[in-house]
Amino acid sequence: MLNKKTVDDLKDIAGKKVLVRCDFNVPLKQGVIQNYKRIDAALPTIKKLLSEKAKIILCSHMGKPKGEPLPELSLAPVAVALSERLGVQVKFADDPKVTSDATKKMAAELKDGEVLLLQNTRYRKEETKLEKDETAIKFAEELAALCDNEIFVNDAFGTAHRAHCSNVGVTKFVKEAAAGYLVEKELKFLGDALNAPVKPFLAILGGAKVSDKINVIENLLSKVDSIIIGGAMAYTFLKAQGYKTGKSLVEEDKLDLAKDLLKKAESKGVKFLLPVDHVIATAVDFETKSVPAGATVKNTDGLDIEDGFMGVDAGPKSIAKFSEVVKAAKTIVWNGPLGIFEVAEFSVGTVEIAKLVAEATKGGAISVVGGGDSVSAVKKASVDKEITHVSTGGGASLEFLEGKELPGIAALPTK
């Protein structure tokens, strides 16, 4: 777990104020929370601190208000949800300045075992400017002062790849800092998968662009036994090998890079699997996430895609080919869909992969799924409970797979 100090290492915290950075960036529709996963993921750490009779101050961002106190991005609904789930009244500091005198007073009056939730940290424009504006550090100081500069716990893996005031800046102004249970869990599974995988180790990467995953592929090529490439970025690799790709999304300026990655995989003895057939369509309506009337959809027999058609999903032969590798794997890391997953007709390949990964997990494999669409896929396939670990941080998990140091983690002390 990168040997970081965790919430279990904190001693004698009864009666002390603890500032906890959570990830409550949940989807809202007219003030109603649509998905509680991130709230539920924060509960174990909060409950641990409650059991220790700490005075708990929670903070998080929501959306991108860019320094504006937008009512539709208020954390008020989160306070209600937390109260219901924790069985204690979570106080809410409805403060557009986040750390004004009214909030300071609420923090100062907290009793042992009480919980206070701050307003959206991004209501303050300084929150995201820690490395760009010297005055931003003052906001970090203000946040730390709310917990009497005592203890900070970072349990927001979803923002660990960002250096913000509420996850990195505050660590400079508190006596103790530690990782929460969620961050500890993320680091354990992602870290073990990359640094101590049970072999064979398989990576499944999808998504639109090779450019988004170059660093991930390069980092993983020295670790994995096999790699499956799906989604639109597969067409860049196929065109680099001379296959016809019709009007599929291809990064023309990345064809040489694709060739280089294929050569690297071969030199390292890594199986580099691409689709061997495709579902293709003449048109897709991305706005309505549907197949337009009059559009033609069909399967190819082989690798080539004819003019006027675009690749939209992996075909049945591809899934059969991929299934052999998935079934044999003992460690699986998956990031990104295998097709235009948002359109129901083109989600088959992604959902089938989700089911295969779940089956492999039942058979003893360790599976780690990250990235919004991959997470949606395992839910759509009703196998999310069968995956070893479903990451809460899309961008953070991607950068972790790239081998990058995450600022929010680097700021935490080692044991």
Side-chain angles (χ1 to χ4, degrees):
M1 207 280 290
L2 305 182
N3 206 30
K4 291 293 178 180
K5 187 173 180 179
T6 75
V7 67
D8 282 332
D9 297 311
L10 299 172
K11 306 298 180 190
D12 304 318
I13 61 174
K16 290 181 181 176
K17 293 195 182 81
V18 182
L19 177 68
V20 187
R21 178 47 160 107
C22 300
D23 183 4
F24 295 143
N25 185 27
V26 295
L28 282 176
K29 191 172 182 180
Q30 297 178 327
V32 179
I33 297 169
Q34 303 297 300
N35 187 316
Y36 291 87
K37 180 175 174 59
R38 286 179 174 172
I39 293 172
D40 292 337
L43 297 180
T45 294
I46 300 169
K47 287 178 178 177
K48 160 70 174 175
L49 296 171
L50 278 172
S51 72
E52 298 280 343
K53 301 296 180 188
K55 300 171 181 177
I56 305 162
I57 302 166
L58 308 175
C59 68
S60 174
H61 78 285
M62 164 113 48
K64 297 179 179 179
K66 298 181 179 177
E68 296 289 325
L70 302 176
E72 64 269 25
L73 294 178
S74 169
L75 286 174
V78 175
V80 175
L82 284 168
S83 297
E84 292 169 350
R85 282 162 159 71
L86 293 169
V88 299
Q89 183 61 45
V90 174
K91 301 171 190 292
F92 180 55
D94 194 357
D95 170 11
K97 295 293 183 186
V98 186
T99 55
S100 69
D101 288 345
T103 296
K104 289 175 187 173
K105 186 171 185 291
M106 291 181 78
E109 292 175 352
L110 276 178
K111 296 181 174 63
D112 297 0
E114 288 191 335
V115 185
L116 171 67
L117 173 64
L118 305 184
Q119 185 52 284
N120 190 338
T121 55
R122 289 191 189 172
Y123 275 9
R124 290 280 291 269
K125 66 180 186 299
E126 303 99 314
E127 162 71 327
T128 61
K129 299 185 183 300
L130 185 64
E131 297 181 316
K132 304 166 191 169
D133 185 345
E134 288 180 9
T135 61
I137 199 71
K138 187 172 184 300
F139 180 43
E141 280 189 85
E142 291 169 8
L143 287 169
L146 292 175
C147 68
D148 299 333
N149 304 95
E150 285 281 358
I151 303 167
F152 170 68
V153 173
N154 189 354
D155 210 24
F157 185 74
T159 57
H161 59 312
R162 306 285 184 226
H164 290 170
C165 294
S166 65
N167 68 339
V168 172
V170 292
T171 61
K172 303 177 192 304
F173 303 104
V174 292
K175 293 174 187 171
E176 287 188 274
Y181 288 135
L182 174 60
V183 166
E184 180 183 17
K185 186 179 178 186
E186 294 275 9
L187 293 178
K188 172 177 169 41
F189 283 108
L190 284 166
D192 285 356
L194 284 188
N195 303 317
V198 181
K199 298 280 192 168
F201 180 13
L202 165 66
I204 305 170
L205 298 176
K209 296 180 178 179
V210 177
S211 52
D212 292 341
K213 303 273 168 77
I214 293 168
N215 295 333
V216 178
I217 296 169
E218 290 194 323
N219 188 42
L220 291 176
L221 282 177
S222 61
K223 301 173 184 293
V224 300
D225 300 291
S226 305
I227 188 164
I228 291 172
I229 299 288
M233 67 174 178
Y235 310 124
T236 299
F237 282 98
L238 290 171
K239 187 163 186 177
Q241 292 177 297
Y243 295 104
K244 294 177 183 176
T245 53
K247 61 175 185 176
S248 303
L249 178 63
V250 170
E251 290 178 279
E252 299 288 345
D253 62 333
K254 295 291 184 289
L255 294 176
D256 287 340
L257 172 69
K259 289 176 187 174
D260 288 342
L261 290 171
L262 287 163
K263 283 178 187 170
K264 278 184 186 175
E266 188 177 6
S267 69
K268 291 176 181 292
V270 174
K271 287 183 189 173
F272 203 98
L273 290 89
L274 293 161
V276 292
D277 66 337
H278 322 276
V279 179
I280 58 175
T282 51
V284 178
D285 189 331
F286 288 96
E287 196 169 316
T288 61
K289 299 177 182 176
S290 64
V291 182
T296 302
V297 178
K298 62 181 181 179
N299 287 6
T300 65
D301 286 329
L303 284 158
D304 289 319
I305 297 172
E306 61 194 270
D307 292 344
F309 282 82
M310 69 181 88
V312 293
D313 196 8
K317 292 177 187 174
S318 300
I319 299 303
K321 179 184 175 184
F322 296 160
S323 72
E324 296 169 16
V325 182
V326 176
K327 287 174 183 174
K330 290 301 176 190
T331 301
I332 303 168
V333 170
W334 177 20
N335 187 292
L338 269 62
I340 303 176
F341 175 70
E342 307 92 319
V343 180
E345 292 91 335
F346 309 144
S347 65
V348 175
T350 306
V351 170
E352 284 303 309
I353 281 291
K355 291 176 180 175
L356 286 166
V357 171
E359 279 299 313
T361 309
K362 282 183 190 172
I366 301 293
S367 54
V368 181
V369 175
D373 286 329
S374 315
V375 173
S376 297
V378 296
K379 285 184 179 173
K380 186 166 184 174
S382 300
V383 295
D384 50 309
K385 300 287 191 293
E386 294 164 36
I387 303 300
T388 309
H389 180 65
V390 178
S391 179
T392 57
S397 63
L398 195 61
E399 291 198 13
F400 196 98
L401 293 177
E402 289 178 19
K404 286 184 179 177
E405 183 176 70
L406 306 182
I409 305 305
L412 298 173
T414 53
K415 291 189 183 186

